[in-house]
Coordinates of all heavy atoms in Angstrom, one line a residue:
G28 N 52.9 -16.4 -131.4 CA 53.3 -17.8 -131.4 C 54.7 -18.0 -130.7 O 55.1 -19.1 -130.5
Q29 N 55.4 -16.9 -130.4 CA 56.7 -17.0 -129.7 C 56.5 -17.0 -128.2 O 56.8 -18.0 -127.5 CB 57.6 -15.9 -130.1 CG 57.9 -15.9 -131.6 CD 58.6 -17.1 -132.1 OE1 59.5 -17.6 -131.5 NE2 58.1 -17.7 -133.2
G30 N 56.0 -15.9 -127.6 CA 55.6 -15.9 -126.2 C 56.7 -15.8 -125.2 O 56.4 -16.0 -124.0
V31 N 57.9 -15.6 -125.7 CA 59.0 -15.6 -124.7 C 59.4 -14.2 -124.4 O 59.9 -13.4 -125.3 CB 60.2 -16.3 -125.3 CG1 61.4 -16.3 -124.4 CG2 59.9 -17.8 -125.7
L32 N 59.2 -13.7 -123.2 CA 59.7 -12.4 -122.8 C 61.2 -12.5 -122.6 O 61.7 -13.3 -121.8 CB 59.1 -12.0 -121.4 CG 59.5 -10.6 -120.9 CD1 59.2 -9.5 -121.8 CD2 58.9 -10.4 -119.5
M33 N 61.9 -11.7 -123.4 CA 63.4 -11.8 -123.5 C 64.1 -11.2 -122.3 O 64.8 -10.1 -122.5 CB 63.9 -11.3 -124.8 CG 63.4 -12.1 -126.0 SD 63.8 -13.9 -125.8 CE 65.6 -13.8 -125.9
H34 N 64.0 -11.7 -121.1 CA 64.7 -11.2 -120.0 C 64.8 -12.3 -118.9 O 63.8 -13.0 -118.7 CB 64.1 -10.0 -119.4 CG 65.0 -9.1 -118.7 ND1 65.8 -8.1 -119.3 CD2 65.4 -9.0 -117.4 CE1 66.5 -7.5 -118.5 NE2 66.4 -8.0 -117.3
G35 N 65.9 -12.5 -118.3 CA 66.0 -13.5 -117.2 C 67.2 -13.3 -116.3 O 68.3 -13.8 -116.5
P36 N 67.0 -12.4 -115.3 CA 68.2 -12.1 -114.4 C 68.7 -13.4 -113.7 O 67.9 -14.2 -113.3 CB 67.6 -11.1 -113.4 CG 66.4 -10.6 -114.1 CD 65.8 -11.6 -115.0
T37 N 70.0 -13.4 -113.4 CA 70.6 -14.6 -112.7 C 69.9 -14.8 -111.4 O 69.7 -15.9 -111.0 CB 72.1 -14.4 -112.6 OG1 72.7 -14.2 -113.9 CG2 72.7 -15.5 -111.9
F38 N 69.7 -13.7 -110.7 CA 69.2 -13.8 -109.3 C 67.7 -13.5 -109.3 O 67.1 -13.1 -108.2 CB 69.9 -12.8 -108.4 CG 71.3 -13.3 -108.0 CD1 72.4 -13.0 -108.7 CD2 71.5 -14.2 -106.9 CE1 73.7 -13.5 -108.4 CE2 72.7 -14.7 -106.5 CZ 73.8 -14.3 -107.3
M39 N 67.0 -13.8 -110.4 CA 65.6 -13.6 -110.5 C 64.8 -14.4 -109.4 O 65.1 -15.6 -109.2 CB 65.1 -14.0 -111.8 CG 63.6 -13.7 -112.1 SD 63.2 -14.2 -113.8 CE 61.5 -13.8 -113.8
G40 N 63.9 -13.7 -108.7 CA 63.1 -14.4 -107.7 C 63.9 -15.0 -106.5 O 63.6 -16.0 -105.9
N41 N 65.0 -14.3 -106.2 CA 65.9 -14.8 -105.1 C 65.0 -15.2 -103.8 O 64.2 -14.3 -103.4 CB 66.9 -13.8 -104.7 CG 67.7 -14.1 -103.5 OD1 67.4 -13.6 -102.4 ND2 68.7 -15.0 -103.6
P42 N 65.1 -16.4 -103.3 CA 64.3 -16.8 -102.2 C 64.4 -16.0 -100.9 O 63.4 -15.7 -100.2 CB 64.7 -18.3 -101.9 CG 65.3 -18.7 -103.2 CD 66.0 -17.5 -103.8
L43 N 65.6 -15.5 -100.6 CA 65.8 -14.7 -99.4 C 65.1 -13.4 -99.6 O 64.4 -12.9 -98.7 CB 67.3 -14.4 -99.2 CG 68.2 -15.5 -98.7 CD1 69.6 -15.0 -98.6 CD2 67.7 -16.0 -97.3
A44 N 65.2 -12.7 -100.8 CA 64.6 -11.5 -101.0 C 63.0 -11.6 -101.0 O 62.3 -10.8 -100.5 CB 65.0 -10.9 -102.3
C45 N 62.6 -12.7 -101.7 CA 61.1 -12.9 -101.7 C 60.5 -13.2 -100.3 O 59.5 -12.7 -100.0 CB 60.8 -14.1 -102.6 SG 61.0 -13.8 -104.4
S46 N 61.3 -13.9 -99.5 CA 60.8 -14.2 -98.1 C 60.7 -13.0 -97.3 O 59.7 -12.8 -96.6 CB 61.8 -15.2 -97.5 OG 61.7 -16.5 -98.1
V47 N 61.7 -12.1 -97.3 CA 61.6 -10.9 -96.5 C 60.6 -9.9 -97.1 O 60.0 -9.2 -96.3 CB 63.0 -10.3 -96.3 CG1 63.5 -9.6 -97.6 CG2 63.0 -9.4 -95.1
A48 N 60.4 -10.0 -98.4 CA 59.4 -9.1 -99.0 C 58.0 -9.5 -98.5 O 57.1 -8.7 -98.2 CB 59.4 -9.2 -100.5
V49 N 57.7 -10.8 -98.5 CA 56.4 -11.3 -98.0 C 56.2 -10.9 -96.5 O 55.1 -10.4 -96.2 CB 56.4 -12.9 -98.1 CG1 55.2 -13.4 -97.3 CG2 56.3 -13.3 -99.5
A50 N 57.2 -11.0 -95.7 CA 57.1 -10.6 -94.3 C 56.9 -9.1 -94.2 O 56.1 -8.7 -93.3 CB 58.4 -11.1 -93.6
S51 N 57.6 -8.3 -95.0 CA 57.5 -6.9 -94.9 C 56.2 -6.4 -95.3 O 55.6 -5.5 -94.6 CB 58.6 -6.2 -95.8 OG 58.5 -4.8 -95.7
I52 N 55.6 -6.9 -96.3 CA 54.3 -6.5 -96.8 C 53.2 -6.9 -95.8 O 52.3 -6.1 -95.4 CB 54.0 -7.1 -98.2 CG1 54.9 -6.5 -99.2 CG2 52.5 -6.8 -98.6 CD1 54.8 -7.2 -100.6
K53 N 53.3 -8.1 -95.2 CA 52.4 -8.6 -94.2 C 52.5 -7.6 -93.0 O 51.5 -7.2 -92.4 CB 52.7 -10.0 -93.8 CG 51.7 -10.6 -92.8 CD 52.0 -12.1 -92.7 CE 51.0 -12.8 -91.8 NZ 51.1 -12.4 -90.4
L54 N 53.7 -7.3 -92.6 CA 53.9 -6.4 -91.4 C 53.3 -5.1 -91.7 O 52.6 -4.5 -90.8 CB 55.4 -6.3 -91.2 CG 55.8 -5.6 -89.9 CD1 55.4 -6.4 -88.6 CD2 57.4 -5.5 -89.9
L55 N 53.4 -4.6 -92.9 CA 52.8 -3.3 -93.2 C 51.3 -3.3 -93.2 O 50.7 -2.5 -92.5 CB 53.3 -2.8 -94.6 CG 52.7 -1.5 -95.2 CD1 53.3 -0.3 -94.4 CD2 53.1 -1.4 -96.6
L56 N 50.7 -4.3 -93.8 CA 49.3 -4.4 -93.9 C 48.6 -4.6 -92.6 O 47.5 -4.2 -92.4 CB 48.9 -5.5 -94.9 CG 49.3 -5.3 -96.4 CD1 48.9 -6.4 -97.2 CD2 48.8 -3.9 -96.9

C-alpha cells in the first residue's frame, strides 16, 4: 500500500546524459 521506492538522485534522468545514451545505443546497434 506504500509503493514508494525510497531513492531520488538530484540529477536523476539528466536530459543531456539520456540524450547521448540514446544516440550511443542507436549507434552501437
Side-chain angles (χ1 to χ4, degrees):
Q29 300 299 316
V31 178
L32 179 63
M33 294 305 296
H34 207 88
T37 300
F38 284 90
M39 183 176 179
N41 173 260
L43 288 177
C45 290
S46 292
V47 75
V49 169
S51 178
I52 294 170
K53 185 172 184 289
L54 190 63
L55 177 68
L56 297 179

